[in-house]
Amino acid sequence: MSKNDEDKEEDLHMEKITDDNIKGHKYLFRICLIGNASVGKTSLLKTYTSNPFHNKYMPTVGVDFQVVTLKYKEIIAKVHIWDTAGEERFKSISSNYYRSSHGFIYVYDITDGDSLNSLENWITLTNEHTNSNVINFLVGNKIDLENDRKVSTNQGKEFASKHNLIFLETSAKTNENVQRLFEYFTFKLINYFEINKSKYMRDDDDNDDQDMTSFSNLKPLELENDEKSKCGC
Ligand code: GDP
């Protein structure tokens, strides 16, 4: 993959592989969903991994996860998506999972302004516990509830820009932008590692199979200005 491939979002053709036994993935990525209870983290994950949407609220106990396998061009990536509980009493359990995450999806509910404000604390907490994250997203969920909207798209964009996050608005209920969220995230991670390959490989080893995603000295990606405030809705 060349540097020119970076950010050609419109060319993003990510294939979801359903064969659990597929071998030979090049990357193993870990992404964590973060945010207050009931903003829709579990629903986003379940909607993407083809489980039906439930109106009933069932809180996540501690941590749950799903695995998806995605193929971009000839590159296969396995992605572990961790769904962490937003409740205070589970914060210490969840923090163990932050450490090895390659990226976070900070989720708020567009009908609940406090859920966006709380992300300041979540960002501080996750920053304290990670040494491997490179790309992070901000997601304003529940855009099907437009009539009850309390957080404008511009407020979301500003928050994203301040914290160097890629911004998207979604609805787990109608599936709007959900596939795009997880696949664009994976695309950005593949791009990051493909482009920065030389930085993380040992000088004496030009082996493509080296697992660069396990390196702990990764540097967060600086987003381009236009991407900082991009709205995908
Ligand atoms: P979590 O605690 O962040 O994992 O939140 P859940 O995924 O359990 O969702 C909490 C509640 O919000 C549930 O009643 C869901 O049905 C509802 N919910 C989640 N996403 C959406 C959405 O996009 N639109 C609407 N209208 N409701 C949603």
Side-chain angles (χ1 to χ4, degrees):
M1 187 183 293
S2 75
K3 198 163 176 55
N4 292 336
D5 281 345
E6 193 172 20
D7 296 341
K8 280 190 190 160
E9 197 190 342
E10 58 281 9
D11 293 346
L12 175 56
H13 293 299
M14 196 69 83
E15 184 189 340
K16 200 166 167 185
I17 299 174
T18 46
D19 178 2
D20 286 344
N21 300 318
I22 187 126
K23 299 239 175 342
H25 60 271
K26 181 167 185 182
Y27 293 113
L28 175 61
F29 294 130
R30 287 169 293 268
I31 298 174
C32 244
L33 288 152
I34 308 280
N36 280 2
S38 87
V39 294
K41 300 180 295 299
T42 304
S43 303
L44 285 166
L45 179 56
K46 292 199 165 165
T47 299
Y48 180 57
T49 53
S50 306
N51 290 307
F53 179 84
H54 286 288
N55 276 313
K56 190 162 169 277
Y57 176 50
M58 288 173 285
T60 307
V61 178
V63 178
D64 193 6
F65 83 105
Q66 301 271 347
V67 183
V68 287
T69 306
L70 293 168
K71 187 172 173 191
Y72 177 71
K73 298 192 174 169
E74 291 314 307
I75 301 171
I76 296 174
K78 246 186 206 300
V79 188
H80 287 197
I81 308 168
W82 295 93
D83 175 17
T84 59
E87 289 175 50
E88 195 65 36
R89 65 198 161 109
F90 293 125
K91 274 189 182 164
S92 61
I93 304 178
S94 303
S95 61
N96 291 324
Y97 295 89
Y98 306 154
R99 204 172 313 281
S100 58
S101 285
H102 296 105
F104 297 112
I105 300 176
Y106 297 102
V107 186
Y108 66 94
D109 172 350
I110 63 142
T111 71
D112 172 10
D114 283 347
S115 68
L116 178 63
N117 297 334
S118 300
L119 288 180
E120 293 279 357
N121 293 336
W122 283 109
I123 289 170
T124 307
L125 181 78
T126 46
N127 283 346
E128 277 167 11
H129 287 95
T130 186
N131 52 13
S132 58
N133 78 310
V134 287
I135 293 167
N136 303 301
F137 274 55
L138 175 69
V139 169
N141 188 40
K142 307 196 187 180
I143 51 171
D144 55 292
L145 301 177
E146 190 57 40
N147 291 341
D148 300 321
R149 184 190 271 276
K150 302 283 184 316
V151 183
S152 71
T153 299
N154 269 341
Q155 283 171 291
K157 281 185 185 178
E158 276 167 25
F159 189 97
S161 179
K162 178 177 163 199
H163 293 283
N164 198 34
L165 309 169
I166 299 176
F167 180 59
L168 272 182
E169 288 189 328
T170 58
S171 168
K173 186 167 188 172
T174 63
N175 210 348
E176 194 170 343
N177 271 337
V178 176
Q179 177 179 354
R180 182 165 169 206
L181 165 65
F182 292 105
E183 299 187 359
Y184 187 40
F185 204 131
T186 306
F187 167 77
K188 294 293 292 178
L189 284 171
I190 290 175
N191 243 308
Y192 176 88
F193 285 101
E194 288 290 303
I195 289 167
N196 291 289
K197 194 156 35 183
S198 57
K199 280 195 211 161
Y200 300 112
M201 286 173 81
R202 291 185 296 274
D203 290 347
D204 58 342
D205 197 346
D206 195 26
N207 176 5
D208 244 15
D209 294 334
Q210 209 180 124
D211 181 8
M212 295 173 299
T213 60
S214 65
F215 284 39
S216 59
N217 58 345
L218 306 176
K219 301 275 182 300
L221 182 73
E222 261 304 315
L223 303 179
E224 299 296 326
N225 277 339
D226 62 333
E227 191 165 37
K228 279 187 182 175
S229 59
K230 193 184 233 166
C231 172
C233 40

